[in-house]
Amino acid sequence: MAHRRRGVGVSRAGAAVYAKKAEELKATSLASAMETVEKLELKLAEFAKTHKHAIQHDPAFRAKFLDMCAPLGVDPLSAEKGFWGNVLGIGEFYYELSVKVAEVCLASRSRNGGIIRVSEVKDILTQRGTKFKFADSKNKSSYSEEDIITSVKKLSKLGSGFRTIKVGRVILIVSVPEELDDDHMQVMNVAEDDGRGPYGMVTTGDMSRALGWDEDRSKRALELLLGKGMVWLDVHNGEKMYWFPSLWKQGSTSLKK
């Protein structure tokens, strides 16, 4: 006995209706989301105008403002002209700061192999009396280590090798394209641990005790860093001691203005 197939035509029609409704809902949701983003951008612009002075002259407030911009895809740093450039001049400020940061990094490269503490860069700029001002501001603007890190991000977009890395409690600027693998980072972390021994110095014995490495592995990592000028070698009583000038807290005193 033959069975009739029922509801096939209805199902297809229903599927088409559902698909159409889904597209309508999708379009409505997208339009609603775009409208919400536009409203938030307007609110952000109003906030920037209201708190313009604080954004320009308070580094902590400026960092918080940039954090507010990020989720909306708003980048005041890339807009030297247009609304954000006219209102804040913030892109020009970070451009000038990034140039000065690059100058310090390049000037110290022969001493530290292209790795320097963010805090040391700030100390050097402070010693030089380096100050910046926004395009429409008569007052000089103070800047923080966070501002320096942000300026390095602008430099990194140029593909110049500039980037920041975190070693223990310290943030360092790397100004060379040399890639540091996990072994190199672990060596630096051991050197940064002042609870282990002299700050900024390691030996192959330190690597063995801290990481369980054999001598060959320790030597491979240290010799590459030595070859790039990122560590200095000192031999004391027959023992090789590897020093990281980038971790020396007093290192900024050796650079002239």
Side-chain angles (χ1 to χ4, degrees), residues 176-234:
V176 290
E178 183 70 36
E179 287 297 326
L180 299 174
D181 64 22
D182 187 59
D183 277 9
H184 303 138
M185 295 301 296
Q186 289 192 66
V187 170
M188 295 181 73
N189 273 292
V190 173
E192 198 276 333
D193 181 10
D194 53 8
R196 172 204 46 78
Y199 187 81
M201 186 277 291
V202 291
T203 65
T204 55
D206 292 327
M207 307 309 299
S208 175
R209 288 185 291 272
L211 302 173
W213 289 4
D214 59 31
E215 189 171 1
D216 286 342
R217 182 175 180 180
S218 298
K219 281 184 176 180
R220 279 197 303 271
L222 288 165
E223 289 300 323
L224 184 141
L225 294 171
L226 180 64
K228 296 297 180 180
M230 296 177 181
V231 299
W232 291 3
L233 175 63
D234 179 33

Side-chain angles (χ1 to χ4, degrees), residues 71-115:
L72 297 176
V74 175
D75 185 8
L77 278 62
S78 64
E80 294 184 19
K81 297 181 179 180
F83 173 77
W84 294 107
N86 292 332
V87 171
L88 297 175
I90 197 168
E92 185 175 346
F93 163 75
Y94 278 110
Y95 170 76
E96 292 181 6
L97 180 57
S98 65
V99 170
K100 294 300 182 183
V101 168
E103 287 177 357
V104 172
C105 291
L106 295 176
S108 64
R109 188 180 287 178
S110 62
R111 174 175 60 85
N112 54 38
I115 306 179

